[in-house]
């Protein structure tokens, strides 16, 4: 019978001890569990690794049902199945509670981040992206215009030293450099 119960509980359960001599197995009415019998509250507690008080509490909660003439014993198979079902349901309930907690934490973090952004905006630490892009575009337009003016300014100041072809080479190189910068974007 111990081996049968160990199979029901699975390989991760604590090793089972033989039933106490006071536990008198009685043949249950259900033929499927006829080989298993009934046990006392203390034996069921030992079998499941619980206290007798916890067995009584679970019985009051409707997990275990007493059987017998004077309701003094528990059917082993039915009790083990009921306890396994109870534990599975507990794990499912705990899983949904964990998901709910995780969602609340995520929402709290999002709210805190939103508040931090609003505070940074009010302190002037953040600027709109469109304004930054417009400022950079203006600056780069001015830089481009200044660079493109270099060959003609150099040609005018150095007219005696530079030929028109030299000014054209400088102009071509500056334009090429600007095109390469534009292509890298």
């Amino acid at each position: 019978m111990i081996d049968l119960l160990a199979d029901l509980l699975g390989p991760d359960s604590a090793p089972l001890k033989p039933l106490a001599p006071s536990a008198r197995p009685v043949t249950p009415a259900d033929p499927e569990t006829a080989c298993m019998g009934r046990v006392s509250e203390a034996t069921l507690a030992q079998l499941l690794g619980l206290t007798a008080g916890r067995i009584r509490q679970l019985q009051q909660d409707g997990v275990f049902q007493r059987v017998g003439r004077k309701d003094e014993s528990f059917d082993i198979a039915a009790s083990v199945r009921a306890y396994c079902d109870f534990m599975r349901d507990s794990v499912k309930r705990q899983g949904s509670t964990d998901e709910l907690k995780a969602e609340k934490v995520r929402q709290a973090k999002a709210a805190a981040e939103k508040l931090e952004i609003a505070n940074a905006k009010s302190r002037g630490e953040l600027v709109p992206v469109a304004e930054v892009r417009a400022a950079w575009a203006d600056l780069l337009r001015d830089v481009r215009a200044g660079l493109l003016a270099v060959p003609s300014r150099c040609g005018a100041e150095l007219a005696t030293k530079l030929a028109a072809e030299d000014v054209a080479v400088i102009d071509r190189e500056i334009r090429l450099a600007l095109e390469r910068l534009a292509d890298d974007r």
Side-chain angles (χ1 to χ4, degrees):
M1 177 164 25
I2 301 260
D3 293 336
L4 184 59
L5 289 174
D7 289 343
L8 280 174
L9 294 174
D12 297 333
S13 65
L16 297 176
K17 298 176 185 171
L19 294 176
S22 63
R24 294 175 289 136
V26 179
T27 306
D30 183 2
E32 182 179 311
T33 59
C35 65
M36 304 195 87
R38 296 179 182 163
V39 292
S40 68
E41 180 180 282
T43 305
L44 184 61
Q46 179 185 14
L47 175 71
L48 296 176
L50 302 172
T51 64
R54 181 67 175 144
I55 296 292
R56 284 189 297 278
Q57 182 183 14
L58 290 171
Q59 179 198 353
Q60 290 171 354
D61 293 345
V63 176
F64 297 127
Q65 299 293 321
R66 288 189 182 264
V67 293
R69 282 183 245 143
K70 298 180 183 177
D71 287 341
E72 76 283 352
S73 60
F74 295 90
D75 180 278
I76 295 173
S79 297
V80 169
R81 275 193 221 107
Y83 187 65
C84 289
D85 291 343
F86 170 76
M87 293 306 292
R88 275 190 214 99
D89 290 344
S90 295
V91 169
K92 286 179 188 173
R93 283 191 305 273
Q94 182 64 35
S96 64
T97 321
D98 288 345
E99 290 169 5
L100 182 61
K101 287 178 186 175
E103 179 63 21
K104 286 183 180 181
V105 167
R106 188 195 65 75
Q107 286 177 344
K109 284 181 181 178
E113 185 177 339
K114 185 177 180 180
L115 184 61
E116 287 175 17
I117 290 171
N119 288 340
K121 279 183 183 177
S122 68
R123 288 189 302 262
E125 295 172 355
L126 296 179
V127 292
V129 172
E131 288 180 23
V132 172
R133 284 186 178 153
W136 272 104
D138 289 345
L139 177 69
L140 292 175
R141 254 191 307 277
D142 292 345
V143 168
R144 182 181 182 275
L147 287 173
L148 290 174
V150 166
S152 59
R153 280 197 319 264
C154 288
E157 286 185 34
L158 303 171
T160 58
K161 296 182 182 178
L162 289 176
E165 293 126 10
D166 296 333
V167 173
V169 169
I170 294 171
D171 183 58
R172 187 176 61 241
E173 287 301 319
I174 289 175
R175 288 180 186 278
L176 185 61
L178 289 172
E179 285 176 18
R180 285 185 184 147
L181 289 172
D183 289 342
D184 288 345
R185 278 182 17 170

